[in-house]
Structures are given as C-alpha cells and as structure tokens.
Amino acid sequence: MKLSLIPFLAFATLSATKPTPTAESKVFLCSDSTAAEYGPQTTGIQGFGYYLYPFFTSTFVNRARGGRSTRSFINEGLWTQLLNLTSPGDYVVIEMGHNDGGTPGTGGDVGKDRAVLSGVGEETVVVKNSTGKDEVVRTFGSYLRQMIADLRAIGATPVLSGMVPLMRWNDGNTTLQKTWRFTEYSREVSKTENVLFLNHTAYSVARFQELGYAEAKKMFPNDDTHTNSVGAKVNAESFVTSILCADGPNAASFRETLSKNATEIGYGCLGVA
Ligand SMILES: *[C@@H]1O[C@H](CO)[C@@H](O)[C@H](O)[C@H]1NC(C)=O
Ligand SMILES: *[C@@H]1O[C@H](CO)[C@@H](O)[C@H](O)[C@H]1NC(C)=O
Ligand SMILES: *[C@@H]1O[C@H](CO)[C@@H](O)[C@H](O)[C@H]1NC(C)=O
Ligand SMILES: *[C@@H]1O[C@H](CO)[C@@H](O)[C@H](O)[C@H]1NC(C)=O
Ligand SMILES: *[C@@H]1O[C@H](CO)[C@@H](O)[C@H](O)[C@H]1NC(C)=O
C-alpha cells in the first residue's frame, strides 16, 4: 500500500491559531515496552519514545514502562507519579493495549495483575489479585476514561493514541493486520469523551506494509512485539506523522508542540486521519 500524498496544509496555517501551548507546555507519553527506552544501543530492543525528543520543541517526557496495562499502570502508582509531574496546559498521550489482553485474575494474568475487561463499557469483575485482596477490574475504556478525567481535573489535555502493530501478517505474509481491538476501543472512547485521537496504528501499519514482511520482520528480531532501533524509528516517525495528520479536538494546538523539522519526515497523510 502506498501512502497517499496529502500535504501537511493544516500545519502550514497554524501560526494564526491561539498561542497555546506555551513554551513551558510539556508532552507526556503514557505507554508500555513498545515506547519505553532501552539505552543507546543499536541492536536489541528499543521503544519508539527513545526517538521522539528531537521532534518536539516542547519538553517531551517519556513515562512509558514495559509490561504495563492501563490497569497496572494505575495500580502500581505510575499514573499518580505522572499526574504529579503534569501541569495545567500539558499534553498527555495515552497509548496502551499491548498488555491489557487476557482474562483478569486467571491464567497468564495471575501474578501479573494487568488484564482488563474487553471493550469500553461499565461492567466490572471482582478478582483476587496477587496481593490476596479483592480488586474490581474494569474495561479498557473505563480505565481510559479515568485517565482522561484525572488529566482534565488538573487542566492537562488528554490525547489517545492507537497502539503500534505486532508482526501479524496474513494471506501468506503479504498483508499486515490492520485492525487491533485496543486501538478500536481507544478510538471509541476518544469520540465519546471528545478527546484527540492519533491514528498511530494506521500510520505504522502503512509503513511496515510498504516495507513488506521480510524487511519489517528484521525490525522485530526478538519477537513479534518489540522493535529494534530501526523499527523504533519507524514507529517514532509514524507517531509524529499521526500528529501532523490528526483532525480532532485540540489537534492544531497540539501540533504546536512539534519542532518545525517534524514536517521533514516526508510521509504524507492517509486519506482518513
Ligand atoms: C530537528 O532539529 C533539531 C534542532 O535543530 C535537531 O537537533 C534534530 O536532530 C532535528 N530532528 C530531526 C528528526 O531532524
Ligand atoms: C510528587 O512530586 C514531588 C516533587 O515534585 C515529590 O516530592 C512527591 O513525592 C511526588 N509524589 C508522588 C505521589 O509521586
Ligand atoms: C490488588 O487489589 C487491591 C485492592 O483493590 C489494590 O489496592 C492493589 O493495587 C491491587 N494490586 C495489584 C498489584 O494490582
Ligand atoms: C510467515 O510468517 C511466519 C510468522 O512470522 C513465519 O514463521 C514464516 O516463516 C513466514 N513465512 C514466510 C514464507 O516468510
Ligand atoms: C485510521 O486510519 C485508518 C486507515 O486509513 C482508517 O480506516 C480509520 O478510519 C482511521 N481512524 C480514525 C479514527 O481516523
């Protein structure tokens, strides 16, 4: 699939918009191992957050932590720590989903305490977690709504982002899986909560699809989830592209956090943001 070449017109006209965010506005990333940082190595695992710093004029703060889901990021106090660092006017991008799957309280979730209920509804389940206490586990959408409300309560702006793809190729390894359920749940919540949605999933899928299975798989040398540094750069560039191409609440002011050279990445917008 070729990316269609829709120029970044929205970006070019930004100077006329309101002067927020200020130079002090920070951009936080709440995510998992696919975005976390593993040091300045050139082989092995690297997360895309490692490569995002030069693309922002505003301070970029990567709070991604390997192995975390929405539920465990909150339960372990990582979310409270992030909120504590956040000031009014800041942006917090929430890109989760890789560790939210499974069945709460059973099977692979025992000892990990990270699986959530599917979907975006209000249903709950009570499980005994590894502390021996009963825990009310909610849906992915419910945890996202909590994060959104927490950020709005302190005057920060939430942004939801679709997760980067795993190397799941179909049709004889010719077609990379496009639709990922946690991305779809995020998108649904972005609509009901009137939050900007970054189509990071679609931009990363498009890039890996363009490379093809053999080239893309080289960027996942350890497993089908974690990129090496080359793959992390692909996911970083697609993340920035998803901001340049985003269309939704606060899209224009969020773009002002990007450094001018972000537009030099050279990838166009997909037909649908
Ligand atoms: C963007 O510009 C900054 C400063 O001019 C530079 O340090 C950085 O490497 C550039 N980033 C990219 C991705 O070109
Ligand atoms: C919040 O940050 C302050 C320093 O800025 C620190 O002293 C405090 O322990 C932090 N609280 C939490 C819950 O992380
Ligand atoms: C276990 O459940 C208790 C009670 O809801 C909760 O306070 C705690 O954060 C949970 N622990 C973990 C590791 O998820
Ligand atoms: C297709 O992908 C699977 C999973 O990565 C791999 O095991 C297999 O070798 C691939 N087949 C070809 C022909 O590349
Ligand atoms: C994300 O991009 C895909 C592929 O272009 C498109 O089908 C989908 O509608 C987009 N979603 C949103 C919320 O923009």
Side-chain angles (χ1 to χ4, degrees), residues 15-270:
S15 49
T17 61
K18 64 186 162 78
T20 56
T22 67
E24 290 77 41
S25 291
K26 298 185 291 294
V27 177
F28 290 82
L29 180 60
C30 166
S31 190
D32 51 39
S33 58
T34 61
E37 299 178 23
Y38 299 87
Q41 74 226 18
T42 52
T43 58
I45 293 174
Q46 187 57 277
F48 67 85
Y50 185 81
Y51 294 105
L52 285 179
Y53 296 87
F55 292 119
F56 289 97
T57 301
S58 300
T59 302
F60 172 67
V61 186
N62 188 2
R63 303 296 289 184
R65 190 72 74 85
R68 273 33 174 218
S69 68
T70 49
R71 173 187 163 199
S72 64
F73 203 94
I74 293 170
N75 279 349
E76 292 179 31
L78 298 168
W79 180 245
T80 304
Q81 288 171 21
L82 185 155
L83 290 175
N84 190 28
L85 297 169
T86 306
S87 306
D90 289 346
Y91 292 89
V92 178
V93 181
I94 303 161
E95 183 179 311
M96 301 298 279
H98 284 282
N99 303 306
D100 293 73
T103 307
T106 65
D109 194 44
V110 174
K112 289 192 170 141
D113 301 321
R114 64 186 191 183
V116 305
L117 293 180
S118 296
V120 301
E122 296 294 351
E123 60 273 28
T124 61
V125 64
V126 178
V127 302
K128 206 167 281 300
N129 70 25
S130 55
T131 69
K133 294 200 176 113
D134 283 342
E135 179 186 348
V136 179
V137 176
R138 299 178 274 131
T139 65
F140 186 67
S142 175
Y143 289 110
L144 291 181
R145 284 192 293 273
Q146 177 188 337
M147 290 172 155
I148 290 164
D150 288 346
L151 292 170
R152 285 178 166 162
I154 59 176
T157 302
V159 176
L160 295 181
S161 180
M163 67 176 214
V164 288
L166 309 176
M167 285 292 98
R168 295 276 157 74
W169 294 75
N170 301 313
D171 308 324
N173 293 346
T174 59
T175 312
L176 180 56
Q177 182 176 321
K178 286 190 179 66
T179 303
W180 301 86
R181 67 189 177 104
F182 288 104
T183 294
E184 295 310 306
Y185 303 153
S186 278
R187 187 174 54 73
E188 284 178 53
V189 171
S190 76
K191 283 188 180 152
T192 56
E193 300 302 308
N194 200 31
V195 167
L196 181 63
F197 178 74
L198 303 179
N199 212 342
H200 193 194
T201 310
Y203 285 100
S204 281
V205 167
R207 291 286 309 283
F208 290 124
Q209 180 65 57
E210 205 170 26
L211 290 164
Y213 171 80
E215 284 305 308
K217 185 67 182 103
K218 286 182 198 160
M219 299 175 189
F220 294 73
N222 299 290
D223 54 42
D224 287 338
T225 305
H226 299 98
T227 54
N228 62 12
S229 58
V230 183
K233 279 179 201 156
V234 170
N235 280 335
E237 290 173 357
S238 61
F239 184 81
V240 173
T241 305
S242 77
I243 299 172
L244 290 167
C245 300
D247 182 19
N250 308 301
S253 56
F254 187 43
R255 269 191 282 278
E256 291 182 30
T257 63
L258 292 174
S259 56
K260 295 299 172 204
N261 60 10
T263 53
E264 289 163 17
I265 294 171
Y267 299 102
C269 300
L270 293 165

